[in-house]
Amino acid sequence: MHRGKGMKFVGDSRVPAERKPNIPKDYSEYPGKTEAFWPNFLLKEWMVGAVFLIGYLILTVAHESPLERKADPTDAGYIPLPDWYFLFLYQLLKYKYAAGDYVLIGTVIIPGLAFGALLLAPFLDTGSERRPSRRPVATGLMLLGLISVTYLTWESVVTHDWEKAKEQGKIVNVSFDENDPGYKIYQKQSCVGCHGDTMSGGASGPSLVGTGLKPEEIMKIAKEGKPPGMPPNAFKGTDEELEKLATFISKLEK
């Protein structure tokens, strides 16, 4: 009989007669390689978590938080520093194209594009390949993000004046009589704007606590000035008021 003439196919042995549900493997067939999620696996997770929690508690007790002095709203020269995971954004705002008149670019547009690309990554690259070389979009975005964040964080760390930051945040305990006539003159002469309300330093003035200067030397600086921050003739009161102020400052101690 020739092929295709009078021949009929009544079945195909390659097609199963009955369709069976897709039942997952019974992992009990692999003894020693699996374990029950409850309670075996969760117990191990809790034990590891407890060890790390105890470690963090010991660390916080052994090393106190690096607290700074009390916030001074009159200190316009204080330079804040964010936590390490925000340093790249902090550094970005130092550049001209992302600060000043263009601050919207540094605060909204660039971060929005970066996080938007992260959210859209699964939709921009829908391929099934697992090799990075065959996923150029996802790999490129990842490398661009890592390099940018690493570079900006590093620049922020190496360009920050850590010595100045340590001094401006240093806790100085100053005890003085707020009813002292010298302190009243200090407030009246707007010295607070440069040296702070506790005289521990401010926007452009150093600390006046424990200077070791005599009243005569302080009066001379107030009249003649002292580079770089103290201009001459900054004191606008009388000689008597200046003498009271100088005497008050010379007695300040930590």
Side-chain angles (χ1 to χ4, degrees), residues 141-154:
L141 291 176
M142 180 193 69
L143 291 177
L144 179 62
L146 287 176
I147 293 173
S148 300
V149 171
T150 303
Y151 172 76
L152 291 174
T153 302
W154 174 258

Side-chain angles (χ1 to χ4, degrees), residues 36-108:
F37 181 78
W38 171 265
N40 299 11
F41 180 78
L42 281 184
L43 182 59
K44 292 181 180 180
E45 291 285 309
W46 290 338
M47 291 178 63
V48 173
V51 170
F52 275 94
L53 179 59
I54 294 173
Y56 279 124
L57 291 176
I58 294 175
L59 182 63
T60 55
V61 172
H63 299 277
E64 297 182 356
S65 300
L67 299 178
E68 296 184 353
R69 60 184 173 86
K70 185 179 179 180
D72 184 3
T74 63
D75 186 2
Y78 181 84
I79 303 176
L81 185 68
D83 290 319
W84 64 269
Y85 43 82
F86 284 130
L87 284 178
F88 69 99
L89 290 175
Y90 175 72
Q91 179 65 23
L92 181 63
L93 296 178
K94 295 180 181 179
Y95 300 121
K96 294 182 178 179
Y97 60 82
D101 296 335
Y102 307 101
V103 68
L104 189 65
I105 297 178
T107 57
V108 177

Side-chain angles (χ1 to χ4, degrees), residues 12 30 95-96 102 148 155-156 240:
D12 191 342
Y30 307 93
Y95 300 121
K96 294 182 178 179
Y102 307 101
S148 300
E155 281 292 309
S156 180
E240 183 181 358

Side-chain angles (χ1 to χ4, degrees), residues 150-164:
T150 303
Y151 172 76
L152 291 174
T153 302
W154 174 258
E155 281 292 309
S156 180
V157 171
V158 298
T159 58
H160 187 69
D161 191 344
W162 294 100
E163 292 297 327
K164 184 177 180 181

